[in-house]
Amino acid sequence: KSYSKLFGGYSQRPEDILKTFEEGVCDEMVLLKNIEFASCCEHHMLPFTGRAHIAYVPNGKIIGISKLARLLEIFARRLQIQERIGQQVTEAMDRLLLPHGSACILEAQHSCMTSRGVEKQNSIMCTSSLTGIFKTQPETRQELLQLIKG
């Protein structure tokens, strides 16, 4: 049962959860922040945990906000590296939503850093994956970062 939960992302596909809506579509940034997640390092088979901030700027379609957390879970619940989780989240959003841009920023504490190796207890790894206007428009990227801090 434990492994079914920890690695349940292998049996899920983003296409199965990202149902889109065209009613009530906005043209401003949508951000879900401080989403807790847990994953398992593919190199050391040790857990890493943290929080994610996922955003997109709609282009005619939106999704239910809980779907952003579910999308993260699909990729976090696999043997992973943190950098890849963010890339997989933004790639899936870009492919299925066709937004003006998508972003996934992850902050996590890795057991392979805290309980072995260099044993640095307070180290936090931060990674980002930005596409579209989050990558090409500095003002949009800055707005995202301000909303995450606030």
Side-chain angles (χ1 to χ4, degrees):
K1 284 184 180 181
S2 177
Y3 284 110
S4 292
K5 177 66 176 178
L6 291 173
F7 304 116
Y10 288 110
S11 64
Q12 297 177 300
R13 299 176 334 137
E15 296 82 2
D16 297 336
I17 63 150
L18 287 186
K19 307 297 184 226
T20 62
F21 304 96
E22 294 182 11
E23 306 83 31
V25 172
C26 67
D27 62 356
E28 298 290 331
M29 186 185 313
V30 175
L31 167 65
L32 183 61
K33 64 183 190 175
N34 296 322
I35 312 163
E36 296 174 354
F37 76 94
S39 192
C40 190
C41 172
E42 70 181 32
H43 298 129
H44 304 103
M45 297 289 291
L46 291 171
F48 61 97
T49 60
R51 60 188 182 147
H53 316 286
I54 302 174
Y56 70 101
V57 177
N59 183 19
K61 294 188 263 186
I62 59 171
I63 58 173
I65 198 71
S66 69
K67 302 310 186 228
L68 295 174
R70 291 184 190 280
L71 181 62
L72 173 67
E73 283 293 299
I74 287 174
F75 296 116
R77 295 294 180 173
R78 300 175 180 185
L79 288 171
Q80 275 289 16
I81 60 171
Q82 183 173 326
E83 299 91 336
R84 187 183 311 120
I85 294 171
Q87 291 171 343
Q88 289 173 322
V89 167
T90 56
E91 186 277 331
M93 288 172 47
D94 286 350
R95 184 170 44 87
L96 299 169
L97 279 178
L98 305 173
H100 292 293
S102 61
C104 183
I105 298 173
L106 301 160
E107 305 168 30
Q109 190 167 37
H110 292 247
S111 295
C112 55
M113 282 284 293
T114 61
S115 63
R116 59 162 297 280
V118 295
E119 297 183 17
K120 299 302 177 198
Q121 300 306 310
N122 296 309
S123 59
I124 303 289
M125 183 170 166
C126 298
T127 57
S128 67
S129 178
L130 307 173
T131 70
I133 63 174
F134 289 109
K135 194 166 196 161
T136 62
Q137 293 184 3
E139 60 277 4
T140 305
R141 182 171 47 254
Q142 188 60 36
E143 178 185 355
L144 170 66
L145 296 175
Q146 289 291 29
L147 287 170
I148 290 171
K149 285 182 187 176

